[in-house]
Amino acid sequence: MLTDQERQAGLVMNAFHREMEIYGYQINIDNYTTMLAALPADDWPADLEAFRTIKTEDLPHELTDDQVAQIGDYQYRDRLRVLVRTEKAEQNKSIRIRDVIKAQIGADYDSLVAAFKASQAQ
């Protein structure tokens, strides 16, 4: 059986790691969002729409290098949009868990997590 002190220490350690997890998701969200800004924002061009789900290695050889690059950009853009959504959804789950842990720790949450973080830096 855990003592109250051991239980509190476990909660604080878990809270710290949850904060790092939330931060990791945010890094991904920020990076993907920045990358999206450099990719096409418009709808797929009508002449390339048919290639939306075709792997690069399976694209017809008649396509020009520029067309293949365009298709790659649109496919990557679409993939990044999905990744932003999934990262946000996973981050939200982590935030919910963190908030439950935070409620269990109470008013000393920030100071206890900061102290744990400092102890990890040593």
Side-chain angles (χ1 to χ4, degrees):
M1 180 105 172
L2 294 176
T3 66
D4 287 344
Q5 186 177 12
E6 290 168 330
R7 183 180 166 281
Q8 184 81 340
L11 286 171
V12 170
M13 178 184 64
N14 194 289
F16 170 77
H17 290 291
R18 198 60 65 172
E19 293 283 357
M20 294 303 295
E21 180 179 39
I22 292 165
Y23 176 67
Y25 285 124
Q26 192 60 52
I27 289 171
N28 290 341
I29 292 165
D30 293 344
N31 287 339
Y32 298 156
T33 301
T34 300
M35 291 170 12
L36 278 168
L39 293 168
D42 57 334
D43 292 335
W44 274 78
D47 62 325
L48 300 179
E49 175 74 33
F51 305 110
R52 182 185 287 257
T53 60
I54 297 178
K55 294 179 184 177
T56 304
E57 61 268 19
D58 295 331
L59 291 171
H61 295 288
E62 299 80 36
L63 294 174
T64 67
D65 289 345
D66 286 342
Q67 288 173 312
V68 171
Q70 263 191 302
I71 292 166
D73 283 349
Y74 279 97
Q75 288 177 342
Y76 193 47
R77 185 255 342 248
D78 292 350
R79 179 69 184 135
L80 287 174
R81 285 177 174 171
V82 170
L83 288 173
V84 168
R85 291 179 75 185
T86 58
E87 290 295 299
K88 286 180 178 181
E90 293 303 314
Q91 183 186 48
N92 192 42
K93 292 175 191 177
S94 294
I95 289 169
R96 289 176 185 270
I97 294 168
R98 188 265 331 261
D99 289 350
V100 169
I101 296 167
K102 190 174 187 175
Q104 292 177 67
I105 293 172
D108 294 335
Y109 178 86
D110 290 335
S111 61
L112 290 172
V113 172
F116 180 84
K117 179 181 176 182
S119 75
Q120 297 301 296
Q122 296 176 1

